[in-house]
Amino acid sequence: SVFDRIKAVEGKVDAYLTLDEENAMKKAAEIDEKLAKGEELSPLAGIPVGIKDNISTKGLRTTCASKMLGNYVPPFNATVMNKLDDIVVTGKLNMDEFAMGSSTENSHFKPTKNPFDTERIPGGSSGGSAAAVAAREAIVTLGSDTGGSIRQPASYCGVVGLKPTYGSVSRYGLVAFASSLDQIGPLGMCVKDVAMVQSAIVGHDKYDATSSYREYPDFAADLKADVKGLRIGIPKEYFGEGIDPFVKQSVMNAVKELEKQGATVKEISLPSTDYALSSYYIISSAEASSNLARFDGVRYGFRAEEYDGLVDMYERTRSEGFGDEVKRRIMLGTFVLSSGFYDAYYKKAKLVQKRIMQEFASQFADVDVIATPTVPSTAFKIGENTDDPLKMYANDVCTVTVNIAGLPAISIPCAYDDKGLPVGMQLIGGKFTEQRLLNTAYAYE
Ligand code: GLN
């Protein structure tokens, strides 16, 4: 039925880059057989799941929505794919090229459309992952979040998206954008679906040196709609200028709901929020410039057809293989890391990062959860921000701090505007407090 749905709506939504119906049907039949034999299966066995196209899937094309990896078929699975062994993979989902963007317009192949209004963007970079869930073209999906790429499209598409604590989900096999910020996480129609996927993908992995050894609860089994005594902080910096009044009001109304259920609410301040965007774009671009050096026409994917010697081959391959936004990030990244500018930019950005981490840590001594808008507005029109990178970057103002501080956060739908477009509320927690975040979201839902 999911593939029937894909056939009916995919032409309008364009969420997928690759569909894998034949293998999906085979896998579904295998699961049916196992069921018939009474074999014990995982809770997600047979569930149709769509995968963002920067997560390596053995034998299934993984493009990162880039010409550079247009024909790349990974010889191995990302760890999350091995952990989700029993699922049925529907296909690979569209995204901004190498996860750089906020609208999925930076895909080399095609833009994805918002199922609520196909003239609007679904958000990004996991736009395909959010749109597929919203359009019921998958039951749940995996996305990745470096500066908001799970939460922001979840907000624009009216679905639930969880960005896990840095180090809780293995990044092995996730094509690296900014390794110190990247995390894989789930998107779904409801909190329980997201909790189930999170339970399945979380955990230590010897192939990821940043992966934590901690034990995790079974998030879905332990889900409790109970917020009695929960202390919620409202950071005034996230409700200031640039945030749409309807978005502010909707989030405040949602917080009031939680208050009615027994939570206490107080205003707090995170004063370095103003510097978060600049710091994020410096750190993430610096890491990207290094991570993307591997795409040289020799080791992976695309190589320019005509060239004159090795250096020319590198130059032409990278000039032809990368899109404009990726080039912009590589140039910005190499610039902020260059010897003359390192102290002025990269080092300062890392100091801001430390400050932001400390501010969160000190707030989490007084509050359990911080509530903010996920994005400043509802989904914008396709093409509206493409000529203005700074305007595009401004979309991430509420989400990047979470990655900079390595924290978990969830976006859940909390209202619809007069055009029927969804608004998301973001709940941020201290490190490894996913259960509390999920419980809070579940109580609201
Ligand atoms: N929009 C942000 C960026 O372009 C976030 C991307 C992400 O989280 N992958 O960097």
Side-chain angles (χ1 to χ4, degrees):
S1 73
V2 167
F3 276 98
D4 286 345
R5 178 72 186 161
I6 291 174
K7 271 164 214 147
V9 302
E10 175 62 6
K12 291 185 216 124
V13 180
D14 277 327
Y16 283 92
L17 289 174
T18 306
L19 282 166
D20 198 23
E21 185 169 3
E22 212 182 301
N23 284 320
M25 292 307 175
K26 245 189 248 162
K27 185 70 177 278
E30 271 170 40
I31 302 281
D32 275 345
E33 240 168 72
K34 284 187 185 170
L35 266 179
K37 280 194 209 134
E39 272 181 43
E40 204 174 309
L41 296 166
S42 79
L44 290 172
I47 301 294
V49 184
I51 310 293
K52 188 176 181 179
D53 212 20
N54 59 352
I55 297 172
S56 302
T57 42
K58 187 176 176 178
L60 184 60
R61 193 170 81 120
T62 299
T63 68
C64 291
S66 180
K67 181 173 174 183
M68 194 57 103
L69 290 174
N71 293 316
Y72 172 63
V73 178
F76 73 109
N77 260 337
T79 295
V80 291
M81 297 312 298
N82 288 336
K83 284 185 171 259
L84 293 171
D85 192 31
D86 275 354
I87 59 161
V88 171
V89 175
T90 49
K92 302 301 292 286
L93 293 158
N94 200 16
M95 54 185 279
D96 285 298
E97 187 179 3
F98 286 105
M100 298 171 188
S102 311
S103 66
T104 313
E105 291 164 296
N106 294 338
S107 166
H108 169 68
F109 301 102
K110 58 186 179 185
T112 293
K113 287 91 187 171
N114 191 314
F116 283 85
D117 175 354
T118 50
E119 281 174 16
R120 292 176 187 270
I121 55 98
S125 64
S126 313
S129 304
V133 171
R136 314 293 200 270
E137 294 184 77
I139 303 301
V140 285
T141 59
L142 290 184
S144 71
D145 192 314
T146 305
S149 280
I150 289 174
R151 292 159 284 153
Q152 187 255 39
S155 175
Y156 284 148
C157 291
V159 303
V160 181
L162 174 71
K163 183 264 167 200
T165 307
Y166 185 79
S168 64
V169 177
S170 169
R171 289 180 297 109
Y172 181 70
L174 169 68
V175 180
F177 162 12
S179 318
S180 77
L181 308 170
D182 300 340
Q183 273 292 285
I184 295 172
L187 296 96
M189 281 305 292
C190 63
V191 174
K192 191 156 193 187
D193 287 358
V194 162
M196 282 179 83
V197 179
Q198 181 61 12
S199 296
I201 62 176
V202 77
H204 177 70
D205 178 16
K206 65 177 180 189
Y207 294 117
D208 175 357
T210 59
S211 140
S212 166
Y213 282 95
R214 169 181 296 259
E215 298 285 328
Y216 299 89
D218 180 342
F219 301 112
D222 295 353
L223 213 49
K224 269 199 297 289
D226 179 12
V227 291
K228 267 182 218 85
L230 184 86
R231 300 164 303 169
I232 302 178
I234 305 293
K236 57 172 191 265
E237 292 80 4
Y238 288 69
F239 291 81
E241 225 182 294
I243 312 287
D244 183 289
F246 181 75
V247 170
K248 277 186 224 177
Q249 198 51 51
S250 306
V251 174
M252 288 315 295
N253 290 345
V255 170
K256 273 193 205 115
E257 280 298 315
L258 290 167
E259 206 174 8
K260 270 190 217 147
Q261 294 185 38
T264 60
V265 180
K266 75 170 201 181
E267 189 181 277
I268 60 167
S269 174
L270 294 162
S272 297
T273 305
D274 271 358
Y275 306 103
L277 264 186
S278 338
S279 147
Y280 166 79
Y281 274 94
I282 289 172
I283 296 170
S284 63
S285 301
E287 292 185 28
S289 71
S290 165
N291 274 327
L292 271 60
R294 76 192 64 179
F295 301 107
D296 57 5
V298 178
R299 285 172 284 191
Y300 299 86
F302 174 76
R303 177 187 293 186
E305 270 173 25
E306 281 172 38
Y307 49 86
D308 182 15
L310 183 65
V311 172
D312 192 45
M313 190 279 284
Y314 289 157
E315 283 181 6
R316 283 176 194 257
T317 295
R318 290 168 67 81
S319 301
E320 293 168 27
F322 290 136
D324 287 349
E325 185 59 30
V326 174
K327 287 179 193 160
R328 188 177 294 128
R329 307 283 179 111
I330 293 173
M331 287 191 282
L332 188 63
T334 47
F335 175 74
V336 299
L337 290 175
S338 61
S339 62
F341 295 98
Y342 179 88
D343 286 350
Y345 294 107
Y346 185 73
K347 211 167 147 192
K348 269 204 191 135
K350 292 299 279 185
L351 288 173
V352 170
Q353 175 175 35
K354 199 166 260 171
R355 187 71 83 78
I356 289 172
M357 282 175 169
Q358 284 163 349
E359 286 174 9
F360 270 116
S362 86
Q363 288 305 335
F364 282 125
D366 286 337
V367 300
D368 303 309
V369 166
I370 293 174
T372 75
T374 308
V375 225
S377 64
T378 50
F380 48 89
K381 289 247 168 81
I382 292 175
E384 198 176 313
N385 287 337
T386 31
D387 296 334
D388 189 348
L390 285 181
K391 235 170 121 195
M392 195 67 104
Y393 298 170
N395 258 288
D396 307 332
V397 62
C398 302
T399 47
V400 292
T401 48
V402 165
N403 303 72
I404 287 178
L407 304 173
I410 191 166
S411 178
I412 49 167
C414 70
Y416 296 84
D417 74 1
D418 52 3
K419 297 191 194 79
L421 299 171
V423 174
M425 166 167 71
Q426 172 173 246
L427 301 170
I428 308 171
K431 281 190 182 162
F432 300 106
T433 61
E434 274 83 348
Q435 186 73 62
R436 188 187 281 148
L437 285 185
L438 289 162
N439 287 352
T440 310
Y442 193 52
Y444 174 72
E445 188 182 66

